[in-house]
Amino acid sequence: MAGPNDQQASRRPPARGLRVLLAGRSVAGQVFLLQVVVVLLLVAAAVVELLVQAKHDSRQEVGNRSVAVAAAFASAPGVAQALASPDPSAVLQPRAEEARKRSGVDFIVVTDTEGTRYTHPVPDRIGEKFVGDIGPALHGEVVTETVTGTLGPLIQANVPVFDAQGKVVGIVSAGITIAKVSGVVNQILPILLGSAAVAMALAMGGTWLIGRRLLRQTGGLGPLEMTRMYEHHDAVLHAVREGVLILDGDGRLQLANDEARRLLRLPADAEGRPVGELGLETRARELLSSGRTVTDEVLPAGDRLLVLNNRPTDLNGGPPGSVATLRDATELRALSGRAETARTRLRLLYDASVAIGTTLDITRTAEELAEVAVPRFADYVTVDLAEPVLHGEEPLRPGPAVTMRRVAVSGVRPDPPLGPEGHPVVVPPSSPQATGLTTGRAVLEPCLADSADWRRQDPERNAKVLSFGIHSLICAPLSARGVLLGLVNFWRSQESPPFEEDDLSLAEELAARAAVCIDNARRFTREHTMAETLQRSLLPQKLPRLNAIDAAYRYLPAQAGVGGDWFDVLPLPGARVALVVGDVVGHGLHAAATMGRLRTAVHNFSALDLPPDELLSHLDELVGRMDRPDALPDTGEDGGEDEGDDASAVAGRVPGGTAVSGATCLYAVYDPVSAVCTLARAGHLLPALVGPDGAVDFLELPQGPPLGLGGMPFSAVEVVLPEDSTLVLYTDGLVEDRERDIDEGLEQLLGVLAGRRGRDPEAICGDVLDAMLPPDPADDIALLVARTRVLDGSRVAEWDVPGDPAAVSGVRAAVSRRLAEWGLAELSFTTELLLSELITNAIRYGAEPIHVRLILDRTLICEVSDAGSTAPHLRYAATTDEGGRGLFLVAQFAERWGTRYTATGKVIWAEQALAGVTPPEW
């Protein structure tokens, strides 16, 4: 059926024919464009052909001209004779240049049979090799070729020069450059293009006349095409899932497709009738009758919601009327609501995966779960965890009444009657929470007021919950990796709708994601606790009481996992003391176990009384082979403290699959008699020294390599420390963290220590940590502060002994007198016996000078030194032996004895307990 638009098209004025032809949408336009294309191709082909022919003719003419000039010059009288002359260039160059200018070629070059030029337009090129093929010319042939010579691309002719006997004695080459040939072609190019433009204009004019005549005769479309077009339009209108209504200017319905009839329930004879007679609802009737522009207007139509779009048809000169489209939004709105709900839930799950588990703290992880669910899913959230979980242990299986602890509460109001954080929660067997724990699935209580099991738990408290407005609950168990950790309760109150079955999956997903994070935190807590327990068991439980120093320490494990920092204070013979601070790279059980092994090794090496540099060398070798599969067990002489032996045993039980990645150590030995402190370090930070006058600075020590590298020696430095000096040893966790680089930390440490004159070590430890402890330590911190003392000279007695056994009696008498002065006369006999044996051994087996020293400390120390390097060995003499019992007696009467080596020899020492005598304080 033809409509108003079809009639309008039939009345389209022919004055728009050129625009229609150029658009190419009609048959006449397509024929016109095809003819234009054919004309353009023909004209372009003609131009190209002419240009190619002109270029070919020009090259042919240039070649012929070059041959003629070269042949004429080659046959000219005197050319052959000039080639045989002593200086051919002098004769031929002027003649060649004159001939070149007269003939109009670009060059005339004469060469010998070897290709050496005798002439050239550029005199500098004379004597150089000819560019081209002279082979055919040497055989008497005339050749034309295109080459790139010294003047650029060119066409040249090579002609032989014959002497009187007909022998080729030279070659003449003449030619013209391609640029000159192209210039000739360019001269005729405007003529060709002008001719082509005239031909094109005439052809397009004729084509336009033909196209216009065809357009007038067909009207733009033939009857068959118009019929097919309307058939297609009708099929589309009745096939689309959108209602279409066409109304004329009087408000009568001209066309309604099948979908419009279905949505509006139109009668069969609706077309041709006014809109007011179609039985439409008032709102729809008004909008359709108005004819105004409407976009996405929602209209009720019975039990449906329709979206209406209306557009007038006379905006661009069309017939009066309007076109309306309708679509059903009832199902779309329901689908969009469900899609929005799904999108909101997916967004909540995504935010939960980002917000939950940001730390490895169990309580904080539970709080993050509660915070992310409020208010987007629930109005209140409580998280209850089993007591063992909070300590990193495996939780108990649910029994008749499971006891948990509330660790997180979050809500839209701060005062819900759900129990505060930290308060114990008992889960009765019949409660919804118990059901969730038993089944492992979330439990829904859409209406708490109707839940007898829930109200029976705690009637008084649950009545307060209901009166507060909380009316709906979902209990979801927190379970990960087969381990039941606790419960999360989601509550809704006030205006929020009750939970539905669809909410269970979201609650379970939130609980599952949070449970994995809580279990990770639980595992970390367990490992952290184990590592920290191991670490603390391997560190000194208390420092020994010594007269040489007054010491205090602090050790703080990192929150992210304990490391391998350690410290020690070791008493040495001669009233000396060793101070040690070290750091094993890494965290966890392996670092703690490695620290224990190193501390045990330091104990054993210090028992040998090694100098600091030698001790570090032995420790370096030990670290280098500590975790190798073929490494031997750690060895060392007995003499370390019991706690060191325990540390070694514990370390041996820890798997050592990971190699030691590095360790640092600082070892210092302080002698209170001489006030000399000998220090050496292996990659460790410099110690700080607070002088008795309050001056603070770092001691300059040689930088030794970290332990385990091997091959590099260590150097020791001796420093005299005045009495009341304070030595501060520490690890890098004190001075370096994420917010502060190490240089800044060292400067801050000096600033804290400044002005601490007279402060005891305990107070200094507190001041340093108060000022420098980071809020979240990422590394262990070990701090050791020691204030030095100097032994009064009255407590030391020394004698030089000649190398004569007769001198021993005099020394014994002097020792007895000194012991009487110290109030230790009861020790005279034992001391004289010990010194007699030690001095006799030094005289018999050692070398002079021999020196005796008595030190009154917490024990009585007897030292005999000599210049020999041979140490005595304890042995058990047979009954028939006359000697060999001296050191046996020393070992029996002395509490401890031993040998240490010095730079000038050795010292044999023995200590006696002051039985029944209170040791005097310094």
Side-chain angles (χ1 to χ4, degrees):
M1 182 180 68
N5 290 338
D6 305 324
Q7 299 174 4
Q8 185 72 12
S10 65
R11 297 194 299 268
R12 183 178 299 154
R16 300 170 58 192
L18 179 59
R19 192 170 5 176
V20 175
L21 289 175
L22 293 178
R25 297 176 181 174
S26 64
V27 175
Q30 293 176 359
V31 171
F32 172 75
L33 293 178
L34 178 62
Q35 289 177 340
V36 171
V37 171
V38 172
V39 170
L40 289 175
L41 291 176
L42 291 175
V43 172
V47 172
V48 171
E49 195 276 335
L50 290 175
L51 287 175
V52 172
Q53 184 64 37
K55 187 173 183 179
H56 178 267
D57 294 343
S58 299
R59 287 177 175 266
Q60 187 67 31
E61 180 184 355
V62 167
N64 295 337
R65 185 176 177 185
S66 300
V67 170
V69 172
F73 193 87
S75 61
V79 173
Q81 291 78 6
L83 288 171
S85 65
D87 189 3
S89 295
V91 177
L92 295 176
Q93 174 69 8
R95 296 176 60 183
E97 285 301 295
E98 182 179 1
R100 178 181 67 80
K101 296 176 181 178
R102 290 183 177 182
S103 62
V105 297
D106 288 332
F107 65 91
I108 296 177
V109 176
V110 181
T111 68
D112 59 7
T113 56
E114 299 295 330
T116 303
R117 299 191 188 107
Y118 289 145
T119 67
H120 196 276
V122 181
D124 293 342
R125 308 293 171 84
I126 296 175
E128 297 180 359
K129 287 293 183 179
F130 175 73
V131 179
D133 187 7
I134 63 174
L138 293 176
H139 293 84
E141 299 178 8
V142 177
V143 179
T144 303
E145 61 182 351
T146 302
V147 299
T148 301
T150 57
L151 299 179
L154 48 86
I155 300 173
Q156 64 184 13
N158 302 329
V159 178
V161 180
F162 300 96
D163 58 4
Q165 290 77 26
K167 178 182 178 182
V168 177
V169 295
I171 299 168
V172 176
S173 178
I176 299 176
T177 60
I178 297 297
K180 183 174 291 187
V181 176
S182 300
V184 174
V185 176
N186 293 336
Q187 291 176 359
I188 66 173
L189 184 59
I191 300 175
L192 293 176
L193 294 179
S195 301
V198 173
M200 187 181 300
L202 293 175
M204 289 188 64
T207 302
W208 178 76
L209 291 175
I210 295 173
R212 185 180 180 193
R213 184 175 182 85
L214 180 61
L215 180 63
R216 286 182 176 181
Q217 291 179 350
T218 61
L221 286 176
L224 181 61
E225 288 77 8
M226 293 180 63
T227 301
R228 184 174 300 170
M229 180 188 67
Y230 280 110
E231 289 176 351
H232 288 169
H233 288 178
D234 188 65
V236 170
L237 282 174
H238 292 285
V240 295
R241 294 298 305 275
E242 192 171 77
V244 179
L245 300 173
I246 300 178
L247 290 82
D248 61 12
D250 297 331
R252 292 181 177 272
L253 180 64
Q254 297 295 316
L255 177 65
N257 69 348
D258 295 343
E259 184 68 10
R261 292 176 181 274
R262 183 182 71 85
L263 295 176
L264 296 176
R265 297 183 176 88
L266 298 177
D269 59 347
E271 294 179 354
R273 296 172 58 182
V275 174
E277 300 177 3
L278 299 179
L280 302 179
E281 295 191 11
T282 304
R283 181 65 176 160
R285 184 174 63 252
E286 292 176 353
L287 289 176
L288 292 175
S289 302
S290 66
R292 60 184 177 86
T293 300
V294 176
T295 301
D296 291 339
E297 186 78 21
V298 179
L299 300 175
D303 58 347
R304 296 179 180 274
L305 291 176
L306 304 181
V307 177
L308 171 69
N309 287 276
N310 195 39
R311 295 291 185 275
T313 58
D314 57 355
L315 296 178
N316 296 316
S322 61
V323 177
T325 60
L326 300 166
R327 65 177 183 273
D328 190 354
T330 307
E331 297 179 358
L332 179 61
R333 174 163 295 187
L335 289 175
S336 63
R338 288 195 291 270
E340 178 65 20
T341 301
R343 187 192 68 81
T344 303
R345 292 184 174 184
L346 287 175
R347 183 65 185 178
L348 175 59
L349 291 177
Y350 171 77
D351 292 343
S353 64
V354 174
I356 300 175
T358 58
T359 67
L360 288 173
D361 182 80
I362 296 176
T363 302
R364 180 55 193 156
T365 304
E367 291 173 350
E368 290 169 345
L369 167 61
E371 291 169 359
V372 79
V374 176
R376 298 163 65 178
F377 180 65
D379 295 324
Y380 300 94
V381 175
T382 59
V383 181
D384 306 327
L385 297 179
E387 283 283 358
V389 173
L390 299 176
H391 306 292
E393 303 172 6
E394 294 285 345
L396 300 176
R397 294 296 178 185
V402 180
T403 301
M404 299 187 180
R405 187 165 297 278
R406 183 144 297 167
V407 295
V409 178
S410 180
V412 294
R413 288 177 53 182
D415 56 345
L418 298 174
E421 295 179 4
H423 124 99
V425 176
V426 178
V427 181
S430 61
S431 64
Q433 288 85 349
T435 303
L437 291 175
T438 304
T439 62
R441 302 299 301 270
V443 177
L444 170 65
E445 290 291 345
C447 182
L448 293 176
D450 298 336
S451 176
D453 291 338
W454 176 78
R455 300 186 66 178
R456 195 180 303 117
Q457 295 180 47
D458 189 342
E460 182 179 352
R461 183 182 65 86
N462 291 342
K464 294 180 180 179
V465 172
L466 293 175
S467 62
F468 190 77
I470 297 176
H471 57 77
S472 188
L473 167 67
I474 289 181
C475 306
L478 295 169
S479 178
R481 304 180 182 95
V483 176
L484 193 60
L485 307 171
L487 276 171
V488 55
N489 301 295
F490 301 98
W491 313 80
R492 283 186 179 175
S493 66
Q494 304 298 334
E495 303 298 328
S496 299
F499 287 112
E500 301 175 350
E501 291 290 337
D502 291 344
D503 296 319
L504 285 175
S505 59
L506 178 58
E508 289 179 342
E509 184 67 23
L510 283 173
R513 297 192 181 197
V516 172
C517 298
I518 292 174
D519 191 53
N520 290 339
R522 177 188 67 84
R523 290 166 174 252
F524 170 79
T525 300
R526 179 182 60 190
E527 294 180 3
H528 181 78
T529 303
M530 291 173 58
E532 184 176 350
T533 301
L534 174 62
Q535 176 83 330
R536 292 193 178 276
S537 68
L538 298 178
L539 290 173
Q541 304 304 310
K542 62 179 181 178
L543 298 182
R545 293 188 60 189
L546 301 172
N547 288 336
I549 61 170
D550 182 11
Y553 71 93
R554 292 291 188 277
Y555 171 74
L556 296 176
Q559 293 187 6
V562 297
D565 293 13
W566 92 92
F567 63 92
D568 230 327
V569 176
L570 306 174
L572 298 178
R576 296 169 303 134
V577 61
L579 305 175
V580 190
V581 168
D583 185 4
V584 175
V585 176
H587 294 84
L589 288 174
H590 181 73
T594 302
M595 177 276 293
R597 299 168 71 181
L598 292 182
R599 180 170 176 255
T600 300
V602 171
H603 272 258
N604 293 335
F605 289 142
S606 67
L608 300 176
D609 213 346
L610 298 175
D613 52 343
E614 293 185 22
L615 185 143
L616 291 181
S617 297
H618 287 290
L619 202 61
D620 176 61
E621 180 183 0
L622 175 65
V623 172
R625 59 185 175 85
M626 181 175 288
D627 287 320
R628 286 168 37 195
D630 57 343
L632 297 175
D634 298 344
T635 60
E637 293 189 9
D638 293 337
E641 298 179 3
D642 294 339
E643 61 184 12
D645 298 335
D646 294 341
S648 178
V650 173
R653 293 193 294 268
V654 177
T658 305
V660 178
S661 57
T664 65
C665 184
L666 173 64
Y667 188 82
V669 175
Y670 174 66
D671 186 351
V673 178
S674 61
V676 172
C677 184
T678 306
L679 306 96
R681 62 174 178 147
H684 204 79
L685 296 173
L686 293 172
L689 178 65
V690 182
D693 57 352
V696 182
D697 203 353
F698 292 110
L699 290 177
E700 291 297 331
L701 306 180
Q703 173 66 50
L707 299 176
L709 298 183
M712 298 295 291
F714 297 93
S715 299
V717 171
E718 292 186 351
V719 180
V720 177
L721 301 181
E723 189 168 9
D724 287 334
S725 298
T726 301
L727 197 61
V728 180
L729 286 67
Y730 53 92
T731 56
D732 57 357
L734 179 68
V735 295
E736 184 179 23
D737 57 38
R738 303 184 190 94
E739 307 295 333
R740 176 183 59 194
D741 60 29
I742 191 166
D743 292 333
E744 181 183 352
L746 293 173
E747 289 296 327
Q748 185 178 358
L749 176 61
L750 290 181
V752 174
L753 295 176
R756 292 304 188 272
R757 176 184 177 184
R759 300 273 287 179
D760 67 333
E762 279 290 340
I764 292 178
C765 286
D767 294 342
V768 170
L769 289 186
D770 290 343
M772 303 191 61
L773 182 64
D776 186 14
D779 196 5
D780 289 13
I781 296 176
L783 175 63
L784 180 61
V785 178
R787 185 170 60 185
T788 63
R789 298 171 180 165
V790 177
L791 185 62
D792 188 87
S794 62
R795 296 175 177 271
V796 180
E798 299 180 273
W799 299 272
D800 290 325
V801 181
D804 183 2
V808 176
S809 61
V811 175
R812 286 202 304 265
V815 168
S816 297
R817 290 192 297 270
R818 180 53 62 94
L819 291 178
E821 294 176 2
W822 286 344
L824 302 175
E826 65 273 14
L827 297 179
S828 297
F829 175 76
T830 306
T831 306
E832 290 179 11
L833 178 62
L834 295 176
L835 287 177
S836 294
E837 295 298 333
L838 296 180
I839 296 173
T840 301
N841 279 336
I843 294 174
R844 182 175 300 176
Y845 304 109
E848 296 189 60
I850 300 172
H851 189 76
V852 175
R853 184 170 71 167
L854 286 183
I855 302 175
L856 178 59
D857 191 31
R858 293 181 179 272
T859 60
L860 180 62
I861 304 169
C862 304
E863 295 181 347
V864 177
S865 61
D866 63 81
S869 59
T870 303
H873 296 281
L874 177 66
R875 69 184 184 89
Y876 296 94
T879 56
T880 57
D881 292 343
E882 295 184 2
R885 297 177 177 82
L887 287 182
F888 178 76
L889 293 175
V890 171
Q892 292 297 314
F893 286 100
E895 187 178 60
R896 290 196 311 160
W897 76 281
T899 304
R900 73 173 182 272
Y901 292 94
T902 64
T904 59
K906 67 177 182 296
V907 176
I908 304 176
W909 55 269
E911 292 185 3
Q912 300 178 73
L914 303 180
V917 178
T918 302
E921 295 292 339
W922 291 13

